[in-house]
Amino acid sequence: MGNTASAHPSKSFFVAMLTRDIDLRDAVLDLVDNCVDGILRTNKDSQPDDADRPYEGFKAELTINPKVFVISDNCGGIPRETAEKYAFRLGRPKGLKDENLPTVGLYGIGMKRAIFKLGRSCSVTTSHGEGVYAVTISPRWMESDTDWDLPLADVPRKDLPKPLRDGTLGTVVSVTNLHAPIAQEFDAKHSLFLTGLANTIATHYAYIMHKGFSVSINGKEIVPKSLGVLVSDRSIPKDQRIEPFIYKTSSNGVEVELTVGLYREIPTDDEVQAEVEGKSTSGSRDTCGWTVICNDRVVLYSDKTGLTGWGLATVPAYHPQFIAISGLVRFRSMDVGKLPVTTTKRGIEASSELYLSVRDVMQEGLKLFTNFTNHWKSRGEERKAMMKQAKAIDPIKAVALLANSPKQWTAVRKGLGGSKYVPSLPKPAPKPETTKSIRFTRPIKEFEAVAEYLFDDKDSDPSEVGNECFERVLKRVKQ
Ligand SMILES: Nc1ncnc2c1ncn2[C@@H]1O[C@H](COP(=O)(O)OP(=O)(O)OP(=O)(O)O)[C@@H](O)[C@H]1O
Ligand SMILES: [Mg+2]
């Protein structure tokens, strides 16, 4: 008889629990996130050539079909010591903190969870510059409750996946023996999964791709969705310029930068109607609203709900007439635990105090542009001329550009402090008056007499009686 009770985890339970709630798409994105974290670690010691495009030259290539899932990157590889001690553990060991980098890896689970979700056999082959080695996961290992170690072995050059054979420093994760439902999803002939995945990558990594990172699926490069905000040329008088509202602050180790403005022309009545009826083909609906970025990853895209301030307090709820408004909020921290993201990193932690304080400012900026839209919605021609002179530019560049107008920046005293740029947006000129109203009062007796005379009815509507008097005189005047 022993004097301990076993509390060892059962691997099958672990694997089932880990993969149950994660969406297949999110599992794949976890692997892409690891590539981007790899770039940050690689760039740590060497400044990128172009500061605006620090991810230039780095890529992730995905090969996905019912037989195999492969993600191959050139993002620096996994150091051998990391692989031996941490990378394959289920969960980040206590006390192990990530480097002082704005990465998103936090829990130490993403890669393993993705592999378990996809299939039963896997190899992770990687080169960090100190030889190439592979860690393999087999169906036998998956099933064993006692074996928690994975074989790690050097790989002869001839057996290496192509990019690593050429000396690239990077990682190739290859999963085979795919679970049947996953293989079905990966069959482009019968499932829309791959199209959806490409769209999600185009939006969620748009910011990183604009900074040089490239991602392809089955040889097809993904084109990032555009991010832009209209800014008028500096030569235009100040009160006629279209510019975004900007807010910047830094609080408790988190940098925040927010821009909201117009990214396209205000829609015509016909377009609004088409949107309301779901008949529009402009695609603008997918771009407007708020996008939230945490450490360069888009965690919320094109949101038009209360989560981002629409319909809260004095801000109107989203309506297609506001389709030209788009906002971008960026949070950045060396400690990913401080960012307002959910544990899957694809959503906002709505109860985060930091986020709620920023949302107050988001509402302020949003309101400026819902008001602007309301003022200009019936002024088609004037509006066209005004908008014509504004160009869509990267919101980050807009911030840099407008930093040169120091007078319009004001300190924010409330909430998280910081400073904001409040544009003085153009106001439509008041319409010239073309009509006048007439009101007057008469004794009832006199009114009834006139009503009887005009309409044979003493109970006629007073405004009709007044109008008829006017019309008769007008006729005489015109003769
Ligand atoms: N493509 C890659 N390039 C470089 N290093 C990688 C790559 N994939 C994984 N790693 C290493 O393996 C470790 C474990 O990855 P995993 O995704 O399981 O956890 P994490 O990224 O630390 O945290 P999270 O669970 O939040 O994603 C990473 O921290 C990183 O050191
Ligand atoms: Mg990860």
Short mmCIF file of all heavy atoms in Angstrom, two decimals, residues 162-182:
data_model
loop_
_atom_site.label_atom_id
_atom_site.label_comp_id
_atom_site.label_asym_id
_atom_site.label_seq_id
_atom_site.Cartn_x
_atom_site.Cartn_y
_atom_site.Cartn_z
N LYS A 162 12.26 21.71 -47.87
CA LYS A 162 13.07 22.50 -48.80
C LYS A 162 13.67 23.80 -48.24
O LYS A 162 14.88 23.98 -48.31
CB LYS A 162 12.28 22.77 -50.08
CG LYS A 162 13.15 23.38 -51.14
CD LYS A 162 12.51 23.34 -52.48
CE LYS A 162 13.40 24.02 -53.51
NZ LYS A 162 13.91 25.31 -53.11
N PRO A 163 12.87 24.70 -47.69
CA PRO A 163 13.48 25.97 -47.28
C PRO A 163 14.61 25.79 -46.27
O PRO A 163 15.62 26.48 -46.32
CB PRO A 163 12.33 26.76 -46.66
CG PRO A 163 11.14 25.90 -46.68
CD PRO A 163 11.44 24.64 -47.41
N LEU A 164 14.46 24.82 -45.36
CA LEU A 164 15.49 24.64 -44.34
C LEU A 164 16.75 24.04 -44.95
O LEU A 164 17.87 24.31 -44.51
CB LEU A 164 14.97 23.75 -43.20
CG LEU A 164 13.74 24.29 -42.44
CD1 LEU A 164 13.41 23.38 -41.27
CD2 LEU A 164 13.99 25.70 -41.92
N ARG A 165 16.54 23.24 -46.00
CA ARG A 165 17.69 22.64 -46.69
C ARG A 165 18.56 23.75 -47.29
O ARG A 165 19.77 23.66 -47.35
CB ARG A 165 17.19 21.72 -47.81
CG ARG A 165 18.17 20.61 -48.14
CD ARG A 165 17.64 19.75 -49.28
NE ARG A 165 16.25 19.37 -49.10
CZ ARG A 165 15.38 19.24 -50.11
NH1 ARG A 165 15.75 19.47 -51.36
NH2 ARG A 165 14.14 18.88 -49.89
N ASP A 166 17.90 24.83 -47.69
CA ASP A 166 18.63 25.94 -48.31
C ASP A 166 19.30 26.86 -47.28
O ASP A 166 19.80 27.93 -47.62
CB ASP A 166 17.69 26.80 -49.17
CG ASP A 166 17.09 25.97 -50.28
OD1 ASP A 166 17.66 24.90 -50.57
OD2 ASP A 166 16.05 26.37 -50.82
N GLY A 167 19.20 26.51 -46.02
CA GLY A 167 19.88 27.31 -45.01
C GLY A 167 18.99 28.35 -44.34
O GLY A 167 19.46 29.16 -43.54
N THR A 168 17.71 28.37 -44.69
CA THR A 168 16.80 29.33 -44.07
C THR A 168 16.69 29.05 -42.57
O THR A 168 16.61 27.89 -42.16
CB THR A 168 15.39 29.18 -44.69
OG1 THR A 168 15.50 29.45 -46.08
CG2 THR A 168 14.38 30.11 -44.06
N LEU A 169 16.66 30.10 -41.76
CA LEU A 169 16.40 29.91 -40.34
C LEU A 169 14.89 30.04 -40.15
O LEU A 169 14.31 31.10 -40.40
CB LEU A 169 17.13 30.97 -39.51
CG LEU A 169 18.65 31.01 -39.68
CD1 LEU A 169 19.27 32.02 -38.73
CD2 LEU A 169 19.26 29.63 -39.46
N GLY A 170 14.29 28.96 -39.75
CA GLY A 170 12.85 29.00 -39.63
C GLY A 170 12.31 27.68 -39.11
O GLY A 170 13.07 26.82 -38.66
N THR A 171 10.99 27.56 -39.20
CA THR A 171 10.32 26.40 -38.62
C THR A 171 9.30 25.86 -39.61
O THR A 171 8.63 26.62 -40.29
CB THR A 171 9.59 26.83 -37.32
OG1 THR A 171 10.54 27.45 -36.46
CG2 THR A 171 8.96 25.65 -36.61
N VAL A 172 9.22 24.52 -39.67
CA VAL A 172 8.18 23.90 -40.50
C VAL A 172 7.37 22.97 -39.59
O VAL A 172 7.90 22.02 -39.03
CB VAL A 172 8.80 23.08 -41.65
CG1 VAL A 172 7.70 22.40 -42.47
CG2 VAL A 172 9.66 23.97 -42.54
N VAL A 173 6.11 23.32 -39.41
CA VAL A 173 5.22 22.45 -38.63
C VAL A 173 4.39 21.68 -39.63
O VAL A 173 3.68 22.27 -40.45
CB VAL A 173 4.30 23.29 -37.71
CG1 VAL A 173 3.35 22.38 -36.93
CG2 VAL A 173 5.10 24.16 -36.77
N SER A 174 4.49 20.35 -39.58
CA SER A 174 3.77 19.54 -40.56
C SER A 174 2.89 18.53 -39.83
O SER A 174 3.39 17.72 -39.04
CB SER A 174 4.82 18.84 -41.43
OG SER A 174 4.20 17.91 -42.25
N VAL A 175 1.60 18.62 -40.07
CA VAL A 175 0.67 17.71 -39.38
C VAL A 175 0.04 16.78 -40.40
O VAL A 175 -0.48 17.24 -41.43
CB VAL A 175 -0.44 18.49 -38.63
CG1 VAL A 175 -1.27 17.55 -37.75
CG2 VAL A 175 0.14 19.62 -37.80
N THR A 176 0.10 15.48 -40.14
CA THR A 176 -0.56 14.49 -41.02
C THR A 176 -1.52 13.68 -40.16
O THR A 176 -1.67 13.98 -38.98
CB THR A 176 0.48 13.56 -41.69
OG1 THR A 176 1.34 13.08 -40.66
CG2 THR A 176 1.31 14.30 -42.72
N ASN A 177 -2.11 12.63 -40.82
CA ASN A 177 -3.07 11.84 -40.03
C ASN A 177 -4.17 12.77 -39.50
O ASN A 177 -4.55 12.72 -38.33
CB ASN A 177 -2.33 11.26 -38.81
CG ASN A 177 -2.50 9.77 -38.74
OD1 ASN A 177 -3.58 9.26 -39.09
ND2 ASN A 177 -1.47 9.08 -38.29
N LEU A 178 -4.65 13.66 -40.37
CA LEU A 178 -5.61 14.68 -39.93
C LEU A 178 -6.89 14.02 -39.43
O LEU A 178 -7.32 12.99 -39.97
CB LEU A 178 -5.93 15.63 -41.09
CG LEU A 178 -4.74 16.40 -41.69
CD1 LEU A 178 -5.18 17.25 -42.87
CD2 LEU A 178 -4.09 17.29 -40.63
N HIS A 179 -7.50 14.60 -38.42
CA HIS A 179 -8.79 14.08 -37.94
C HIS A 179 -9.80 14.21 -39.08
O HIS A 179 -9.78 15.20 -39.82
CB HIS A 179 -9.28 14.89 -36.74
CG HIS A 179 -8.34 14.86 -35.57
ND1 HIS A 179 -7.96 13.67 -34.96
CD2 HIS A 179 -7.70 15.84 -34.91
CE1 HIS A 179 -7.13 13.94 -33.98
NE2 HIS A 179 -6.94 15.24 -33.93
N ALA A 180 -10.71 13.23 -39.17
CA ALA A 180 -11.62 13.21 -40.33
C ALA A 180 -12.39 14.53 -40.53
O ALA A 180 -12.42 15.06 -41.65
CB ALA A 180 -12.56 12.02 -40.22
N PRO A 181 -12.99 15.10 -39.48
CA PRO A 181 -13.75 16.35 -39.72
C PRO A 181 -12.84 17.49 -40.18
O PRO A 181 -13.27 18.36 -40.95
CB PRO A 181 -14.35 16.69 -38.35
CG PRO A 181 -14.12 15.52 -37.47
CD PRO A 181 -13.07 14.66 -38.08
N ILE A 182 -11.58 17.46 -39.74
CA ILE A 182 -10.65 18.53 -40.14
C ILE A 182 -10.29 18.34 -41.62
O ILE A 182 -10.28 19.30 -42.40
CB ILE A 182 -9.35 18.46 -39.28
CG1 ILE A 182 -9.68 18.52 -37.79
CG2 ILE A 182 -8.36 19.54 -39.70
CD1 ILE A 182 -10.18 19.83 -37.27
#
